């Protein structure tokens, strides 16, 4: 049976391939992430279908960032869909606007701290202030949680430090950048194994390429689930 600590990222090009993959994974996966890559390929329609016809939980990874009024109206529109998680950037004005837009919908607002594919050299390129990436992630997480985020997205390497923040008590930590032992890193830089991420305080792990690029996605999911610590 499924274990909702694992969220599979359906980073395939269109809704039809996403549905085929979800059908192959069957009852091993109960929670899916649909992201920007599928925006023009029927992502919202797939979200609806997986939710209503297959009973899956849905994480819509839109990483919204704009002026507050625009974020609020975008989130208000998305709150009409039956979504479980939605991402916005972790800047406090964005988080506050998203919370306002989500209203009482039950859709949780997750704040992106710093992408798990970025390291210090990338932050230098983006003109982001000096300091170790892990410290900046924890500070951004604290600011986003204080602004009202229901949870944060961070690398598993920062999960323990975020879990230690008073502001993170009762909130969610969701970690991409997760790789089963021996899997390709791809463009991810700040990674850990599924079991380490959960042991360090993540509530959910997000795994994409190791599953959807696998010759046997169902067996890969079963191996990841078998590796998770008991609940
Ligand atoms: O294929 P992989 O397992 O690297 O997929 C990770 C997923 O998590 C991708 O869909 C990516 O967009 C998303 N993500 C991330 N880092 C963040 C936020 C989201 O890798 N900080």
């Amino acid at each position: 049976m499924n274990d909702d600590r694992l969220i599979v990222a359906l980073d395939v090009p269109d809704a039809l391939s996403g549905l085929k993959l979800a059908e192959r994974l069957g009852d091993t996966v109960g929670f899916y992430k649909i992201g920007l890559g599928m925006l023009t390929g029927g992502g919202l329609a797939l979200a609806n279908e997986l939710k209503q016809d297959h009973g899956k939980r849905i994480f819509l990874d839109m990483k919204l960032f704009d002026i507050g009024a625009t974020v609020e109206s975008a989130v208000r529109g998305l709150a009409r869909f039956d979504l479980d998680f939605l991402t916005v950037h972790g800047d406090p004005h964005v988080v506050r606007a998203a919370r306002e837009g989500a209203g009482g919908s039950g859709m949780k607002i997750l704040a992106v701290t710093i992408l798990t594919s970025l390291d210090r050299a990338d932050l230098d390129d983006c003109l982001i202030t000096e300091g170790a990436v892990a410290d900046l992630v924890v500070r951004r997480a604290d600011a986003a949680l204080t602004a009202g985020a229901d949870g944060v997205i961070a690398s598993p390497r920062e999960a323990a430090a975020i879990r230690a923040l008073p502001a993170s008590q009762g909130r969610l930590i969701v970690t991409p950048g997760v790789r089963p032992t021996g899997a390709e890193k791809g463009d991810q830089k700040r990674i850990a194994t599924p079991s380490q991420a959960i042991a360090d305080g993540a509530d959910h792990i997000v795994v994409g390429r190791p599953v959807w690029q696998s010759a046997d996605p169902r067996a890969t999911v079963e191996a990841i689930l078998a590796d998770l610590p008991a609940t």
Side-chain angles (χ1 to χ4, degrees), residues 34-36 39 59-65 78 86-88:
I34 293 175
L36 290 170
L39 193 59
F59 168 1
L60 192 70
D61 189 12
M62 291 285 111
K63 298 188 180 71
L64 299 175
F65 178 82
L78 288 167
L86 173 71
T87 45
V88 302

Side-chain angles (χ1 to χ4, degrees), residues 9 11 33 61 63 114-116 153 176 179 188 206-210:
D11 290 330
K33 183 174 90 67
D61 189 12
K63 298 188 180 71
I114 293 177
L115 297 178
T116 45
I153 312 287
R179 289 291 178 268
Q188 298 287 11
V206 177
V207 185
R209 283 163 287 189

Side-chain angles (χ1 to χ4, degrees), residues 1-152:
M1 272 314 282
N2 65 64
D3 175 341
D4 281 357
R5 289 180 295 176
L6 172 66
I7 300 177
V8 170
L10 284 177
D11 290 330
V12 290
D14 55 52
L16 190 59
S17 343
L19 193 59
K20 278 192 189 145
L21 178 61
E23 280 169 353
R24 273 182 91 180
L25 294 171
D27 63 4
T28 58
V29 176
F31 211 152
Y32 285 105
K33 183 174 90 67
I34 293 175
L36 290 170
M38 215 198 269
L39 193 59
T40 54
L44 275 172
L46 178 64
N48 268 341
E49 181 159 355
L50 288 176
K51 182 88 190 209
Q52 278 153 26
D53 301 347
H54 300 263
K56 305 299 180 186
R57 294 171 77 193
I58 302 294
F59 168 1
L60 192 70
D61 189 12
M62 291 285 111
K63 298 188 180 71
L64 299 175
F65 178 82
D66 208 315
I67 60 169
T70 304
V71 170
E72 186 180 329
S73 83
V75 174
R76 184 165 294 119
L78 288 167
R80 287 190 213 107
F81 292 78
D82 191 6
L83 303 169
D84 296 279
F85 294 171
L86 173 71
T87 45
V88 302
H89 279 259
D91 307 58
H93 81 276
V94 176
V95 172
R96 279 193 293 272
R99 269 258 48 88
E100 199 60 37
S105 64
M107 179 174 75
K108 294 199 184 304
I109 301 297
L110 302 183
V112 176
T113 53
I114 293 177
L115 297 178
T116 45
S117 57
L118 301 183
D119 60 17
R120 185 59 252 181
D122 298 310
L123 299 191
D124 290 343
D125 286 346
C126 302
L127 306 182
I128 289 179
T129 190
E130 284 176 26
V133 179
D135 295 339
L136 296 179
V137 169
V138 174
R139 284 167 58 194
R140 265 177 77 77
D142 200 16
L145 292 166
T146 303
D150 297 298
V152 292

Side-chain angles (χ1 to χ4, degrees), residues 178-215:
V178 170
R179 289 291 178 268
T181 312
E184 292 281 330
K185 277 171 76 171
D187 56 359
Q188 298 287 11
K189 292 179 182 158
R190 306 188 335 267
I191 60 169
T193 61
S195 56
Q196 189 62 50
I198 297 287
D200 282 346
D203 298 285
H204 298 276
I205 55 171
V206 177
V207 185
R209 283 163 287 189
V211 174
W212 60 262
Q213 289 183 342
S214 166

